[in-house]
Amino acid sequence: MSVSAEKRKPVRIWVDGCFDLMHFGHFNALRQAKAMGDYLVVGVHSDAEIEHHKGPTVMKEDERYAAVAACKWVDEVVPNAPYLTSLEWMDKYNCDYCVHGDDITTMADGTDCYQVVKDAGRYRECKRTQDISTTELVGRMLLMTKDHHKRSSFSGSSISAVNTAELGTFSTGGSKTKPDTKISHFLPTSRKIVQFSEGREPKEGDKVIYVDGTFDLFHTGHIEFLKRAKQMGDYLLVGIHDDQTVNAVKGVNYPLMNLHERVLSVLACRYVDEVVIGAPYSVSDQVLEKVYKVDLVVHGNTPSLNDADGEDPYKLAKERNIYVEIDNPQNSVTTEAIIERIITHRKLFEERQRRKEQKALLEKEAEKAEKAAKAAAAASQ
């Protein structure tokens, strides 16, 4: 038998990280890593490990494990992975290569977390996604103003009592050393949408399920809902409302992530087959008939806000007797609950930001030194 005819050994890839407040930057890194091999193993650090090296997490470790497991490019999740990546740990899971973004990550003492793997020739690099980070999202939450929250439909929450002037200057920009938080203007290319989309259409006889929502700060509450909705049929179509619709209906400074960011996050979920970008807030005949023939419209059992004209957004689906409510899991994470965590523990996160900025400066210097050393080595050859 020729070598080409023999069955090739699958290439196993190792990726590790915090994966706090999972966003499309995380998903894009996992997508790129999976493309470098056949089987993707993702190690997720514990809360204690992250707090020691970076500061407190927003999401609890069980929530972070679940968010990574829901990514369609991930084959296996390893909880409580060590912050320092070792060859022994990679070998334990039979991984050939470790993949990380093109920015240096260091331990609390400044040591490169991947130096041992690099020296062994088992390190591969993927492109870091610009203009998004967990710290950037935290900054957006802290910059939400008291005036906006007073107008919130979530009246009586602890958020409405917060004065923005008391929040300090917790913010970051598109890179780890850029100091300003801004409203996101991230615009994906058609290529990026295609990379995240499966492009699969429902087969004849498939039961098509439609759900819609904002899916802001895409989290485990959303994931569990999408999982339960998918179990009710064969094909899950997700409508995602545009920024103007969300702002008009909720009457607050939402969404925190723009439409394009939210679309990519939802597309990365393994339970989702297709999305409607900028879906109308009220389920219309166009949604039910023109995209695909929808068999069932599914919604959680929490009250939904009426449309801007005062109408029930699910009126048409109810009239056609294709509307079903499913129970939300107990203690389910919500977008507002995440914001409340940030507000409640804002001083801790401000300290985390200061630590991260100092660490980022050291990493930037180390990155410059590494590039200079490579350039010098190349020049001497």
Side-chain angles (χ1 to χ4, degrees):
M1 181 183 293
S2 66
V3 175
S4 60
E6 292 179 4
K7 187 175 181 180
R8 180 177 64 84
K9 176 185 176 292
V11 175
R12 293 171 64 92
I13 301 294
W14 172 269
V15 172
D16 54 25
C18 304
F19 302 103
D20 197 14
L21 273 178
M22 284 285 282
H23 51 69
F24 69 93
H26 292 130
F27 293 126
N28 194 38
L30 296 174
R31 179 191 65 80
Q32 293 179 79
K34 180 61 177 285
M36 296 182 191
D38 304 293
Y39 190 90
L40 180 59
V41 182
V42 181
V44 184
H45 311 314
S46 69
D47 292 347
E49 274 278 88
I50 298 169
E51 179 143 12
H52 175 66
H53 294 284
K54 296 178 71 173
T57 60
V58 178
M59 309 303 290
K60 299 170 185 176
E61 56 192 53
D62 287 347
E63 295 165 348
R64 293 185 290 107
Y65 299 153
V68 174
C71 176
K72 64 186 178 184
W73 296 293
V74 174
D75 297 296
E76 184 177 347
V77 175
V78 177
N80 198 27
Y83 205 81
L84 178 64
T85 307
S86 68
L87 296 175
E88 291 78 15
W89 200 263
M90 288 174 58
D91 290 342
K92 180 179 179 180
Y93 292 93
N94 299 313
C95 291
D96 301 287
Y97 301 104
C98 171
V99 175
H100 189 261
D102 55 359
D103 55 329
I104 291 178
T105 300
T106 60
M107 304 283 286
D109 62 3
T111 306
D112 185 340
C113 295
Y114 299 97
Q115 193 58 56
V116 173
V117 182
K118 290 175 180 177
D119 293 341
R122 293 172 64 181
Y123 179 81
R124 298 291 183 270
E125 218 165 61
C126 65
K127 194 72 176 171
R128 181 183 182 273
T129 305
Q130 296 298 314
D131 297 318
I132 186 66
S133 69
T134 296
T135 313
E136 160 71 12
L137 292 177
V138 171
R140 292 186 204 176
M141 283 182 263
L142 286 174
L143 289 176
M144 296 176 77
T145 68
K146 184 177 181 181
D147 177 61
H148 279 118
H149 289 305
K150 277 184 175 177
R151 295 165 54 214
S152 172
S153 58
F154 306 112
S155 59
S157 76
S158 63
I159 301 173
S160 62
V162 173
N163 187 331
T164 306
E166 298 173 356
L167 294 180
T169 55
F170 185 107
S171 62
T172 185
S175 68
K176 292 193 293 184
T177 55
K178 188 175 179 180
D180 355 293
T181 294
K182 57 191 180 301
I183 295 172
S184 174
H185 297 293
F186 171 77
L187 294 172
T189 60
S190 58
R191 181 168 176 265
K192 183 62 65 186
I193 294 289
V194 169
Q195 287 173 338
F196 273 61
S197 176
E198 294 296 312
R200 185 178 79 84
E201 295 191 338
K203 302 189 294 291
E204 186 176 351
D206 276 356
K207 184 178 183 180
V208 177
I209 307 297
Y210 179 75
V211 302
D212 63 357
T214 305
F215 300 100
D216 202 11
L217 298 178
F218 192 68
H219 51 68
T220 51
H222 296 135
I223 290 166
E224 182 60 30
F225 168 68
L226 294 173
K227 178 181 179 181
R228 294 183 180 201
K230 179 62 177 284
Q231 290 171 344
M232 302 189 74
D234 306 294
Y235 190 92
L236 183 59
L237 178 65
V238 181
I240 305 176
H241 308 313
D242 63 34
D243 301 341
Q244 293 77 15
T245 298
V246 174
N247 192 265
V249 172
K250 290 193 172 183
V252 292
N253 192 20
Y254 290 107
L256 286 153
M257 301 177 77
N258 76 19
L259 174 63
H260 309 297
E261 295 174 312
R262 292 181 285 118
V263 164
L264 291 181
S265 292
V266 172
L267 279 173
C269 181
R270 65 173 69 251
Y271 308 114
V272 175
D273 295 292
E274 181 63 287
V275 302
V276 178
I277 302 173
Y281 187 73
S282 286
V283 178
S284 63
D285 185 68
Q286 184 179 22
V287 168
L288 297 178
E289 301 286 347
K290 304 298 183 184
V291 183
Y292 299 117
K293 179 70 171 65
V294 173
D295 297 289
L296 205 61
V297 175
V298 175
H299 184 61
N301 61 352
T302 52
S304 56
L305 298 172
N306 286 340
D307 206 338
D309 60 4
E311 289 288 332
D312 177 355
Y314 300 101
K315 179 182 177 182
L316 182 61
K318 290 175 180 177
E319 289 174 350
R320 297 186 181 182
N321 203 30
I322 59 170
Y323 175 83
V324 173
E325 287 187 357
I326 57 177
D327 291 335
N328 292 318
Q330 288 188 338
N331 303 317
S332 177
V333 176
T334 65
T335 301
E336 196 201 22
I338 294 172
I339 297 170
E340 291 210 20
R341 291 182 191 181
I342 299 296
I343 299 298
T344 302
H345 303 290
R346 65 185 184 274
K347 294 300 180 185
L348 288 174
F349 286 106
E350 286 168 0
E351 176 57 27
R352 166 183 161 170
Q353 172 67 359
R354 282 189 286 271
R355 287 172 60 182
K356 286 191 71 175
E357 285 177 353
Q358 292 172 354
K359 190 177 174 188
L361 290 173
L362 293 173
E363 290 174 354
K364 193 173 182 64
E365 290 302 315
E367 196 170 353
K368 284 182 180 177
E370 184 178 348
K371 287 180 180 178
K374 287 181 179 178
S380 65
Q381 290 178 352

